[in-house]
Amino acid sequence: MKNKKNRNKKLTGSSYLKDKIFSFFGSGKKYLKGFIFPEIRVGVRRISLNDKNRKDFCLDLYDTSGPYTDPRISVSISKGLPKIRSGWKKESLNEGQKKSTVSSAVTQMHYAKKGMITPEMEFVALREGCTPYLIRDEVASGRAIIPANIRHRELEPMIIGSRFLVKINANIGNSPVSSGLKEEVEKMIWAIRWGADTVMDLSTGKNIHKIRETIIRNCPVPVGTVPIYEALEKVKGNIHQLNWEIFKETLIEQAEQGVDFFTIHAGILMKTIPLAMKRKTGIVSRGGAILAKWSLYHGKENFLYTFFKEICEILKKYDVSFSLGDGLRPGCIADANDEAQFAELKILGELTKLAWSHDVQTMIEGPGHVPLHLIRENMEKQIEYCHGAPFYTLGPLTTDIAPGYDHITSSIGAALIGSLGTAMLCYVTPKEHLGLPDKEDVRNGIMAYKIAAHVADLAKNHPLARRWDDAISEARFEFRWEDQFRLALDPETARKYHEPASLKKILALDRCCSMCGPEFCSMNLSQEVKKCYKRKKKFINR
Amino acid sequence: MKNKKNRNKKLTGSSYLKDKIFSFFGSGKKYLKGFIFPEIRVGVRRISLNDKNRKDFCLDLYDTSGPYTDPRISVSISKGLPKIRSGWKKESLNEGQKKSTVSSAVTQMHYAKKGMITPEMEFVALREGCTPYLIRDEVASGRAIIPANIRHRELEPMIIGSRFLVKINANIGNSPVSSGLKEEVEKMIWAIRWGADTVMDLSTGKNIHKIRETIIRNCPVPVGTVPIYEALEKVKGNIHQLNWEIFKETLIEQAEQGVDFFTIHAGILMKTIPLAMKRKTGIVSRGGAILAKWSLYHGKENFLYTFFKEICEILKKYDVSFSLGDGLRPGCIADANDEAQFAELKILGELTKLAWSHDVQTMIEGPGHVPLHLIRENMEKQIEYCHGAPFYTLGPLTTDIAPGYDHITSSIGAALIGSLGTAMLCYVTPKEHLGLPDKEDVRNGIMAYKIAAHVADLAKNHPLARRWDDAISEARFEFRWEDQFRLALDPETARKYHEPASLKKILALDRCCSMCGPEFCSMNLSQEVKKCYKRKKKFINR
């Protein structure tokens, strides 16, 4: 009991949070150590189980929650997380290959092309259960990225690529009419506790700079932004006053802070805007609409396109990754897979090549709203046009009719596109189209997307996927309720949905639930069938 | 105001319900009249909209809620719904074809094979927006069923078949340890209000007979049961005491009451049981486990199989449809698509032929737990083995790791298998694996499945599907918030998730929400882009 008390007390990170329950019950934090770089320690969530057949059996799960779930580390929001990457060796293992000729780049792609293994690569390899060589080769080819700004020293690196576990991103950030710093930092901490692999700070309201600073200093996962939002704040919302200088200044400021990836809407051009004007819902990307308006006002090509080389020069100095924004993503079923969308995708493919020539890591953003039968075409065209760069999609939402349930309409599309090769899924919360998500919406969005990502991993036969399903199914069949809760994606909800204590007394020995009662419980019956079968096996004519 | 008061008062059906809000706001009940049978009136939900471009524009949606949402009809639970089918002509339109030679059958398949159009067929044709000839031909071929016991005179007929709108079933019913008559009738009424196309009463607790009677008399959608549950109650839970006589008596009682379809687990045989013994979670179908245990105990073949002909004789006298149960459906990802499952499916295919030879309408139940990449094989094998009979699947759940969220894990699988041709989707609630669902769980299950079914309809290009998405997307783009709520799958939740009144005042003219605020609202920006584009079009070089 004493231990438990101390543990709660030590979690000063969680003392910042209203709700004190932070670690999942039955889960502990364990660390895997690096081989090439022994200073590396990769946290995993270890779930202890009571399987009679296998003593001391436990399951290690990929862990995005960082130091917050380690009772031995005391976290102070004002000080920020420990800067783990400062202690990592800068030199990498050189295997003699030299492909890159780009100077002054410090990107993972730069090192990978040179045949080097970085601490970041080994960290990621330990998380994914593969060799660092696979990581290096995928990063070198552009098929995967490790978003890791050299200034984000609190980061636990992760990889985004179709050969690896499917990742999910959670959008947070305030708006001019709602929420502040405390709420947004709290959302970030809960988001990674529930499993967000990256977070995007989409703040457009007050204190953008301060909110971002606090988030990055306390965030163990990559942080993404859409820099045009802050640039627009600088010109007080007057789109026509935007220009390259203001944008460049914003980019550098954010890169200096440690932002790991930037959404850049460089694919929205004079020739593609008219294609979107025929649509039912026009341009639904905020960044896309801003840049289209700027272009039309000035009669000039989008400055993110014209200054793309200059942007690459900045990004390669910090190893900020591109997330090439789909400013023309469809905003409804009627607009899916149209000329505008695919014309922009082609441009993003050209820009990918340009970014790669600067050794800047790049992923491509994708739709949006797409009916189920048109999803495959998105993936195929993306691979073709964008030369295998990782795809990062918003949903897609597979119908427009269910505001309030768009975490579900979109997790259907996300699971499918994930199984086809999309590397990261941007979550959608139940509040999509209706309002700014609160903490509970963030949880519902993340759960729906953790499901979609895992469903995709299973469908892709990822070696780390099935053992989780098998462990929970075995626990279920053997009525190890406690193990089933511990293994649940959301242990607290699973336990809450189970029976109240009063009812448990009626249910003999916990060998059933109120759905069927003991007599009609199929798991119970099936155990009996199994016993009966063993006794009578010899009499049965197979 | 006076009207509104009266309206609430008249809804004596809803006075039975705790929560008085029953009709959806902005929706009215309209009726389509029959051409061949003018006595037929098909209720639709008419949503009135405020589209400036189209005066008096409204959208009619398929309506499962029956008289409960018609303020002109007073409903009393003790008396039951009006017996609409009593007033329908019994003679059908004969077009001279005579295929059937089965005597004493009163089934829709019997009439269809004879080339006749029944009132039930025309009712269904009006709902589906197709000709009654298509309905007749699909029923005659066995590719679709109209579950409509001649004793269920309160029924508004519907059709289950791959060429029609994808349907959803909601399971209700008490268990020995939870819930009673009032709760279950209330769940049924809410289930159809939210859109359940059929309900299955799976009661296994007290008052099975009385609960079922009250449900059927007050239910405008087909009611299904698993008769083995009541038969088992009759022998006080002693499986080995079950026999054909007790089962037959139960079947006849339930058919007399008006049950529209029976789940019959006739495919679980001596040769298939051993195949399931190798599994991780054995036999997870309650009926399947009961019959496997009976078979093993007596060393005899399943009596539902040996007396299948006799069962057909009973069903054809009432037009009860078969729902051939998949007693060996997989209960976890590891057991999906195994030998046991497909061996049983083959047997169900043989029984389908036998049922058809008696003119008994038949559908086939399907899994269960299946990972995304193995779903297609289920559909393809079912079509092949079962000669095109409609498929009716539980989910499938695409992962085992998320108890508490299985409405989502399964709606992913349901949407996909629906798009591939499954005719009806059995919902799964968030309480699956954890407890008996309450009213709120029923709502969440139904919403997830209405989404899955509609997503499948869109993917199948059903002519009635897209107009709903288009209407809501247009409303969204034009900031017709009220119309967006009215058109939402769940209008109450959409409205609740939108902003509180206090915040609305800040948001200028309602032209945004708190997610982005007015300045960053992409829809708002996009409207401006459109205007700007119109002005500057001539200067732009396309």
Side-chain angles (χ1 to χ4, degrees), chain A residues 175 280 283-284 286 293 297 399-401 405 434 443 469 473-474 489-490 499 514 520 522 526 528, chain B residues 175 280 283-284 286 293 399-401 405 434 443 469 473-474 490 499 514 520 522 526 528 536:
Chain A
S175 79
K280 213 172 258 304
I283 302 175
V284 296
R286 291 191 287 190
K293 207 179 160 191
Y297 183 91
T399 174
D400 307 335
I401 64 164
Y405 297 86
L434 298 170
R443 191 174 63 83
D469 296 76
S473 293
E474 284 158 14
L489 179 64
D490 180 351
E499 319 307 338
S514 66
F520 280 94
S522 65
S526 189
E528 288 173 30
Chain B
S175 79
K280 215 173 255 306
I283 302 175
V284 296
R286 292 192 285 191
K293 205 179 162 192
T399 173
D400 307 335
I401 64 163
Y405 297 86
L434 298 169
R443 190 174 64 83
D469 296 75
S473 293
E474 285 158 12
D490 181 350
E499 320 306 339
S514 67
F520 280 93
S522 65
S526 189
E528 288 171 31
K536 304 215 169 180

Side-chain angles (χ1 to χ4, degrees), chain A residues 516-522 525, chain B residues 176 204 228-229 232-233 286 290:
Chain A
C516 310
E519 203 168 87
F520 280 94
C521 172
S522 65
L525 280 165
Chain B
T204 54
I228 199 81
Y229 296 169
L232 187 56
E233 280 300 315
R286 292 192 285 191
I290 292 165

Side-chain angles (χ1 to χ4, degrees), chain B residues 55 59 87 238 331 437 504 525 532:
Chain B
K55 230 188 154 186
L59 187 76
N238 297 308
K504 269 189 190 163
L525 281 166
C532 192

Side-chain angles (χ1 to χ4, degrees), chain A residues 518-536 540, chain B residues 228 232 236-242 265 268-270 272-274 276-277 283 285-303 327-328:
Chain A
E519 203 168 87
F520 280 94
C521 172
S522 65
M523 294 271 178
N524 221 341
L525 280 165
S526 189
Q527 305 270 19
E528 288 173 30
V529 169
K530 224 168 172 173
K531 278 181 216 155
C532 193
Y533 175 71
K534 271 184 193 159
R535 281 200 309 272
K536 304 216 170 181
I540 297 169
Chain B
I228 199 81
L232 187 56
K236 301 196 174 72
N238 297 308
I239 290 175
H240 62 280
Q241 288 180 13
L242 280 171
H265 296 95
I268 194 146
L269 300 186
M270 288 296 223
T272 53
I273 296 168
M277 295 300 107
I283 302 175
S285 148
R286 292 192 285 191
I290 292 165
L291 289 155
K293 205 179 162 192
W294 185 92
S295 260
L296 288 171
Y297 184 91
H298 291 287
K300 278 188 198 169
E301 206 62 284
N302 176 357
F303 60 84
L328 297 178

Side-chain angles (χ1 to χ4, degrees), chain B residues 80-278:
Chain B
L81 296 181
K83 298 190 187 308
I84 51 164
R85 288 173 75 203
S86 300
W88 293 355
K89 273 199 205 83
K90 273 170 204 129
E91 317 91 81
S92 314
L93 191 72
N94 193 331
E95 289 218 325
Q97 288 162 265
K98 274 184 189 158
K99 291 183 205 159
S100 174
T101 53
V102 178
S103 62
S104 77
V106 294
T107 70
Q108 296 295 320
M109 186 181 224
H110 175 75
Y111 297 123
K113 282 183 181 173
K114 284 174 118 172
M116 289 169 157
I117 304 270
T118 62
E120 286 77 10
M121 293 177 202
E122 194 186 20
F123 194 101
V124 162
L126 288 165
R127 288 189 122 169
E128 298 280 341
C130 68
T131 71
Y133 306 108
L134 175 68
I135 302 290
R136 182 195 60 197
D137 296 347
E138 289 295 296
V139 170
S141 73
R143 282 191 303 269
I145 67 169
I146 300 173
N149 185 322
I150 53 169
R151 303 275 169 125
H152 188 189
R153 300 196 167 278
E154 302 83 357
L155 179 75
E156 299 182 355
M158 50 77 75
I159 193 162
I160 301 167
S162 62
R163 293 194 58 175
F164 307 104
L165 289 163
V166 176
K167 305 303 189 296
I168 69 161
N169 172 73
N171 288 337
I172 56 167
N174 71 347
S175 79
V177 292
S178 188
S179 191
L181 187 141
K182 207 181 142 120
E183 289 92 329
E184 296 310 317
V185 173
E186 191 165 322
K187 274 187 213 166
M188 178 276 287
I189 297 175
W190 281 105
I192 60 167
R193 190 254 195 177
W194 289 319
D197 293 288
T198 64
V199 295
M200 287 193 78
D201 175 12
L202 303 185
S203 290
T204 54
K206 284 166 205 155
N207 294 319
I208 295 187
H209 193 90
K210 180 72 196 291
I211 289 177
R212 190 172 52 239
E213 179 67 25
T214 314
I215 286 174
I216 295 172
R217 296 287 77 79
N218 289 284
C219 189
V221 307
V223 175
T225 62
V226 186
I228 199 81
Y229 296 169
E230 193 181 11
L232 187 56
E233 280 300 315
K234 286 184 180 174
V235 294
K236 301 196 174 72
N238 297 308
I239 290 175
H240 62 280
Q241 288 180 13
L242 280 171
N243 59 44
W244 164 241
E245 282 66 37
I246 288 164
F247 187 77
K248 179 182 169 182
E249 180 193 294
T250 310
L251 271 193
I252 294 172
E253 275 171 27
Q254 296 200 9
E256 287 278 337
Q257 276 187 314
V259 173
D260 300 288
F261 60 96
F262 286 149
T263 292
I264 302 285
H265 296 95
I268 194 146
L269 300 186
M270 288 296 223
K271 65 179 177 189
T272 53
I273 296 168
L275 303 174
M277 295 300 107
K278 312 170 198 170

